[in-house]
Amino acid sequence: MAAESHNWILMATARTPTNIAVIKYWGKRDENLILPINDSISITLDPDHLSATTTVAVSPSFEKDRMWLNGKEIPLSGGRYQNCLRELRSRAGDFEDEKRGIQIKKEGWNKLHFHIASYNNFPTAAGLASSAAGFACLVFSLAKLMNVKEELGQLSAIARQGSGSACRSLYGGFVKWTMGNEMSGRDSKAVQLANETHWEDLIIIVAVVSSRQKETSSTSGMRESVETSSLIQHRAKVVVPSRILQMEEAIRNRNFSSFARLTCADSNQFHAVCLDTSPPIFYMNDTSHRIINLVERWNRHEETLQVAYTFDAGPNAVLIAPNRKVASSLLQRLLFYFPPGPDYELNSYVLGDKTILQEAGIESLNHIEALKPPPEAKDKVPSQRFAGDVSYFICTRSGKGPEILMEEEHALISSQTGLPKLVT
Amino acid sequence: MAAESHNWILMATARTPTNIAVIKYWGKRDENLILPINDSISITLDPDHLSATTTVAVSPSFEKDRMWLNGKEIPLSGGRYQNCLRELRSRAGDFEDEKRGIQIKKEGWNKLHFHIASYNNFPTAAGLASSAAGFACLVFSLAKLMNVKEELGQLSAIARQGSGSACRSLYGGFVKWTMGNEMSGRDSKAVQLANETHWEDLIIIVAVVSSRQKETSSTSGMRESVETSSLIQHRAKVVVPSRILQMEEAIRNRNFSSFARLTCADSNQFHAVCLDTSPPIFYMNDTSHRIINLVERWNRHEETLQVAYTFDAGPNAVLIAPNRKVASSLLQRLLFYFPPGPDYELNSYVLGDKTILQEAGIESLNHIEALKPPPEAKDKVPSQRFAGDVSYFICTRSGKGPEILMEEEHALISSQTGLPKLVT
């Protein structure tokens, strides 16, 4: 390479969705390679509402790897990042841009440093699988930049080494993470069960629950569960394998009743295992319990499963309705029991696909105020409303997998300076 | 019997303690006979603080069975009461009081009706195993009245048919309910592991937690768990049998560390099974979680188990300290985080053995106000206090089993009218 060519900067930008597990991943058999003790199944969420966008840049002028998350520089010391990078470098291809006089040989990637800027279109701290979308996006954009010629499945096995559930964000629609058998972890990867058009009627409402407590990280939480729970192995070896088969069939046949039954039962069992851990882990709080009770009461009243719920490692509820009609009834119920606190605006209280809000007939805060208790509420006791216990709702659906964003305007790093455009 | 002798009333009065399970009973293999799916172990609580007192009266002038609980008449239709009565009648003995001219033959008990008055020296609705103490006391007092010559173990198998955990209230100290094997349930009964003097240092503090929600009854809750939980059988068949052996050894050796570890783990696993039930059952609330976190943080800070916790089918915490010194440190912590709400008085906020309160140096509400955060509280964040989230505390210890109260003044039924002395 000529000395003057040291100023070039190569970049790639990608956007990758989050996902929510309906059969849960909880417990590793290998901490370093991130190999799970059971298969899991997830729905990929619409990236318009819940996704990470990441720009990776490489330049001979960069002196070390650096990363910015939502405009703020964060340390990149983690072994997990290094594991992903090592895997990608070993699969990197030659790169040549004759016009700009750039040439990078396979081996050359080992000497180059990266600048990485990532941005979530939803609050990072809200506990909405931001690390899943983030690592998936990092691996997907780096693979593009480094000319890695691998199928998505192999990329998912690399993203898995950043954050287990990240592997499921490499595909849209419905995704299974097969735990695999090999020591190397090569067969512990994601496969798509159905794409995002397969079951388009499903509507997903996320309730971001206000939390006052610091939660146990899922990494240390699942390690403690594996070490101390006397139920987790029975779950992983006996219960989950049969649920995986049933869930695949429910998704294949768009059987909402079976899908909802399995989703709720598996969320509850995951939290049961957390409680069976020593010391016990509580991710759900009283608000989470109230949301479950709301759904269970409604389901019982209708004598058929209206809505499924699932909770990850935090108090937020993810609610899944079979169609828009039920979703708008659900939103009415949620807004009845959990109206916004003082000084909220409707526009920032219900985010995402606002047409559900319109179909629910709610155009102002006064409409929320005027909501009547649902028919399944007991007549005798006046229904209690819990204003402010939910921070906001996001209405969304199943969405597509990662995509490369070609336009310069989407890049989060300046092609001139090699630094993030937005710094906070 | 001569006609004029129809006015006699025979009575017996007994007092019977409540008990708190440290290895939990959850799940029946026979609903009618109340046969459990696993052994359980409990501590009998001091009857001075938590007990039921019951007077049973019989007279040829009584026209039907009637019962009053805390002065209020309640229906006696339940099959469980009838089951207990049938068992006792089949074992009844002859009774003769020559002076008063009363003679009842074995068979004569079948034709006589009973008046029963029972009184708990603690709030019935507080979820403190009132049905356990109540049925134990009913069976114990009726056995006395009907001249039933059976050992306590056989009486416990009868009380079991009223309320499963009642069988453990027939003994003081530490009690095991052996699940038994026989179809008849005859071998499903209580045995005393150690009496109340065996481990006298233990101090028990009950935190009665304010609850806004109606809870699932334990009868229907455990039935739903057996029907729907995919973890309960593994717990009953694999986990509990080994814990029972370890707990017996811990009690025998007064090994507090092992005792506390098993007690906490088993309470958490019972609640895990409740959560694994469909629909899920939540007995613990945010306040229960905070109490567990308080204990776990303290235990971790001291690097040795200071205190054990256990929760039954409700949000109340039962905390067990190895001695008075630790108990007073525990009470300081509890009162720091859970001070009384407005308009409380100290005297009605800490009940039972008030010497623990004195040893904690707390003589007034101002002393509670002035309590400092415990050393294990994180320095950086100011500790939040949750005034009013606990209704009251009861300081107690392990206590003796049932006793007959001979003095007329203890009887709850008037020997003149055959009706309760106190009616509300």
Side-chain angles (χ1 to χ4, degrees):
Chain A
M1 264 176 257
E4 64 273 12
S5 69
H6 267 60
N7 289 324
W8 55 259
I9 297 175
L10 270 184
M11 299 202 304
T13 299
R15 187 171 77 153
T16 304
T18 57
N19 69 78
I20 177 78
V22 290
I23 300 291
K24 299 294 187 190
Y25 153 54
W26 194 251
K28 300 182 182 77
R29 63 182 200 272
D30 184 314
E31 288 275 335
N32 185 42
L33 289 172
I34 310 192
L35 301 177
I37 58 173
N38 57 253
D39 293 352
S40 53
I41 292 178
S42 60
I43 306 184
T44 297
L45 303 186
D46 188 337
D48 284 348
H49 306 136
L50 290 144
S51 62
T53 299
T54 301
T55 297
V56 289
V58 69
S59 168
S61 66
F62 294 170
E63 290 172 2
K64 58 170 187 169
D65 294 352
R66 293 176 71 184
M67 175 157 185
W68 293 263
L69 179 60
N70 296 326
K72 194 180 166 199
E73 186 158 11
I74 59 166
L76 247 180
S77 50
R80 293 174 160 211
Y81 164 72
Q82 296 300 336
N83 286 351
C84 290
L85 200 61
R86 189 191 58 241
E87 295 290 325
L88 289 164
R89 278 181 170 139
S90 74
R91 290 165 172 84
D94 297 340
F95 178 87
E96 187 159 7
D97 183 335
E98 280 191 36
K99 262 199 269 178
R100 295 173 65 190
I102 307 174
Q103 194 186 40
I104 309 173
K105 289 279 177 199
K106 277 171 86 75
E107 316 75 50
W109 291 104
N110 291 327
K111 294 170 202 141
L112 289 165
H113 291 292
F114 299 93
H115 283 185
I116 302 159
S118 193
Y119 164 79
N120 298 324
N121 65 353
F122 59 94
T124 304
L128 293 168
S130 53
S131 73
F135 266 107
C137 206
L138 176 70
V139 167
F140 192 75
S141 53
L142 277 174
K144 170 71 181 172
L145 181 72
M146 297 164 79
N147 209 6
V148 172
K149 305 277 189 217
E150 293 278 6
E151 288 173 4
L152 281 178
Q154 278 313 313
L155 291 186
S156 82
I158 298 172
R160 188 203 74 227
Q161 296 177 59
S163 171
S165 54
C167 74
R168 294 185 314 235
S169 274
L170 267 295
Y171 293 102
F174 296 84
V175 184
K176 177 165 81 160
W177 174 11
T178 55
M179 59 180 287
N181 298 309
E182 294 187 34
M183 291 278 287
S184 70
R186 205 170 37 178
D187 59 347
S188 185
K189 61 183 186 178
V191 291
Q192 188 178 51
L193 298 176
N195 73 17
E196 61 276 17
T197 62
H198 169 70
W199 199 351
E200 282 190 309
D201 288 347
L202 292 188
I203 301 287
I204 298 166
I205 300 181
V206 183
V208 177
V209 170
S210 319
S211 171
R212 284 161 218 110
Q213 257 174 299
K214 170 85 186 77
E215 282 136 26
T216 311
S217 85
S218 59
T219 300
S220 64
M222 71 175 76
R223 184 169 52 232
E224 287 166 17
S225 287
V226 169
E227 285 169 4
T228 66
S229 167
S230 46
L231 301 176
I232 193 172
Q233 293 299 338
H234 182 75
R235 160 173 168 75
K237 292 189 178 128
V238 179
V239 181
V240 174
S242 117
R243 284 189 182 164
I244 288 281
L245 295 174
Q246 293 175 64
M247 182 59 92
E248 290 188 64
E249 194 182 339
I251 291 169
R252 194 161 47 239
N253 302 329
R254 299 183 202 89
N255 179 339
F256 185 77
S257 171
S258 173
F259 171 84
R261 186 181 55 77
L262 292 161
T263 297
C264 298
D266 207 66
S267 172
N268 290 329
Q269 186 167 88
F270 150 53
H271 291 279
V273 166
C274 289
L275 189 42
D276 188 52
T277 300
S278 173
I281 304 165
F282 312 111
Y283 286 126
M284 296 197 289
N285 62 20
D286 283 351
T287 305
S288 316
H289 293 174
R290 285 191 188 105
I291 293 174
I292 290 180
N293 287 337
L294 174 169
V295 171
E296 294 283 359
R297 204 161 48 230
W298 187 18
N299 286 343
R300 202 159 46 238
H301 184 256
E302 302 287 341
E303 292 178 6
T304 158
L305 297 184
Q306 300 294 303
V307 165
Y309 54 81
T310 187
F311 294 74
D312 269 355
N316 301 332
V318 177
L319 300 149
I320 309 172
N323 55 54
R324 301 179 68 83
K325 186 158 175 293
V326 176
S328 70
S329 297
L330 170 62
L331 191 56
Q332 286 173 336
R333 281 167 170 82
L334 290 168
L335 291 171
F336 172 76
Y337 285 108
F338 304 101
D343 306 328
Y344 276 73
E345 284 176 24
L346 182 57
N347 211 33
S348 55
Y349 195 57
V350 181
L351 310 174
D353 175 4
K354 309 226 178 195
T355 63
I356 307 290
L357 196 61
Q358 287 158 20
E359 287 180 31
I362 292 165
E363 289 161 18
S364 72
L365 291 178
N366 288 340
H367 289 160
I368 295 181
E369 193 66 36
L371 282 168
K372 294 270 176 297
E376 67 272 16
K378 283 169 198 119
D379 294 334
K380 288 169 195 166
V381 278
S383 299
Q384 204 179 343
R385 301 181 74 173
F386 301 91
D389 285 1
V390 168
S391 299
Y392 52 91
F393 295 98
I394 308 171
C395 297
T396 186
R397 67 181 78 79
S398 176
K400 65 186 171 186
E403 58 183 344
I404 296 294
L405 305 178
M406 302 300 291
E407 292 79 16
E408 166 73 22
E409 61 175 315
H410 290 126
L412 302 176
I413 289 177
S414 157
S415 59
Q416 304 303 311
T417 63
L419 294 169
K421 293 175 178 174
L422 167 80
V423 178
T424 56
Chain B
M1 261 177 259
E4 64 274 13
S5 68
H6 268 58
N7 288 323
W8 56 258
I9 298 175
L10 269 184
M11 299 204 301
T13 300
R15 188 171 76 154
T16 304
T18 58
N19 68 78
I20 175 80
V22 290
I23 300 291
K24 299 293 188 191
Y25 153 53
W26 193 250
K28 301 184 182 76
R29 62 181 200 274
D30 184 313
E31 289 275 337
N32 184 42
L33 289 172
I34 309 191
L35 301 177
I37 58 173
N38 56 253
D39 293 352
S40 53
I41 292 177
S42 59
I43 306 183
T44 297
L45 302 185
D46 188 338
D48 283 350
H49 306 136
L50 290 144
S51 60
T53 299
T54 300
T55 297
V56 288
V58 70
S59 168
S61 65
F62 294 170
E63 289 172 2
K64 58 171 187 164
D65 293 351
R66 295 176 71 183
M67 175 158 185
W68 294 262
L69 179 59
N70 296 324
K72 194 181 165 196
E73 184 157 12
I74 58 168
L76 247 181
S77 51
R80 292 173 161 211
Y81 164 73
Q82 295 301 337
N83 287 351
C84 289
L85 201 61
R86 188 191 57 239
E87 295 290 324
L88 288 164
R89 278 181 169 141
S90 73
R91 291 166 173 83
D94 296 340
F95 177 88
E96 185 159 11
D97 183 335
E98 281 191 34
K99 260 197 274 180
R100 296 174 63 192
I102 307 174
Q103 193 186 41
I104 309 173
K105 289 277 176 203
K106 276 171 87 74
E107 315 76 48
W109 292 106
N110 292 327
K111 294 170 203 142
L112 289 165
H113 291 291
F114 299 94
H115 283 186
I116 302 159
S118 194
Y119 164 80
N120 298 324
N121 65 353
F122 59 94
T124 305
L128 293 168
S130 53
S131 73
F135 268 107
C137 207
L138 175 70
V139 167
F140 192 76
S141 53
L142 277 175
K144 170 73 181 173
L145 182 71
M146 296 165 78
N147 210 6
V148 173
K149 305 276 188 218
E150 292 278 6
E151 289 175 4
L152 281 178
Q154 279 314 314
L155 291 186
S156 82
I158 297 171
R160 188 203 74 228
Q161 297 177 57
S163 169
S165 54
C167 73
R168 296 184 313 235
S169 275
L170 268 293
Y171 293 102
F174 296 83
V175 183
K176 177 164 83 160
W177 174 10
T178 54
M179 61 181 284
N181 297 310
E182 293 186 35
M183 291 278 285
S184 70
R186 203 169 39 177
D187 58 348
S188 186
K189 60 183 187 177
V191 291
Q192 188 178 51
L193 299 176
N195 73 17
E196 61 276 18
T197 63
H198 169 70
W199 199 350
E200 282 191 307
D201 288 346
L202 291 188
I203 301 287
I204 297 166
I205 300 181
V206 182
V208 177
V209 170
S210 319
S211 171
R212 284 160 219 111
Q213 257 173 300
K214 170 87 185 78
E215 282 135 27
T216 311
S217 85
S218 60
T219 299
S220 63
M222 70 175 78
R223 183 169 53 231
E224 287 166 15
S225 287
V226 169
E227 284 168 4
T228 65
S229 167
S230 47
L231 301 176
I232 194 172
Q233 293 299 337
H234 182 76
R235 161 173 167 74
K237 291 189 179 128
V238 179
V239 181
V240 173
S242 119
R243 283 187 182 164
I244 288 281
L245 295 175
Q246 293 175 63
M247 182 59 92
E248 290 189 65
E249 194 182 339
I251 291 169
R252 195 161 46 238
N253 302 326
R254 301 183 200 88
N255 179 340
F256 185 78
S257 171
S258 174
F259 170 84
R261 185 180 56 76
L262 291 161
T263 297
C264 298
D266 207 67
S267 172
N268 290 329
Q269 184 167 92
F270 150 51
H271 291 279
V273 167
C274 290
L275 190 41
D276 188 52
T277 300
S278 174
I281 304 164
F282 313 111
Y283 286 126
M284 296 198 290
N285 64 18
D286 284 351
T287 305
S288 316
H289 293 174
R290 284 190 189 104
I291 294 174
I292 290 181
N293 287 337
L294 173 168
V295 171
E296 293 284 359
R297 203 161 49 231
W298 186 20
N299 286 344
R300 203 159 47 238
H301 183 256
E302 302 286 343
E303 293 178 5
T304 160
L305 297 184
Q306 299 294 300
V307 165
Y309 54 81
T310 188
F311 294 73
D312 270 355
N316 301 333
V318 177
L319 300 148
I320 309 171
N323 54 54
R324 300 181 68 83
K325 187 160 172 292
V326 176
S328 69
S329 297
L330 169 63
L331 190 56
Q332 287 173 336
R333 282 167 169 82
L334 290 169
L335 291 172
F336 171 75
Y337 287 108
F338 304 99
D343 306 326
Y344 276 73
E345 283 177 26
L346 182 58
N347 211 36
S348 55
Y349 195 58
V350 181
L351 310 174
D353 175 3
K354 310 227 178 196
T355 64
I356 307 290
L357 194 61
Q358 287 158 20
E359 286 178 33
I362 292 164
E363 289 161 18
S364 72
L365 290 177
N366 288 340
H367 289 161
I368 295 181
E369 192 65 36
L371 282 169
K372 295 269 176 295
E376 68 272 16
K378 281 171 199 118
D379 295 335
K380 287 169 195 164
V381 279
S383 300
Q384 205 181 338
R385 301 181 74 174
F386 301 92
D389 285 2
V390 168
S391 299
Y392 53 89
F393 295 99
I394 307 172
C395 297
T396 186
R397 67 181 79 78
S398 176
K400 63 185 172 187
E403 57 183 345
I404 296 293
L405 305 178
M406 302 301 292
E407 291 79 15
E408 165 75 22
E409 59 175 315
H410 290 127
L412 302 176
I413 290 178
S414 157
S415 59
Q416 304 303 312
T417 65
L419 293 169
K421 293 175 179 174
L422 167 81
V423 178
T424 57

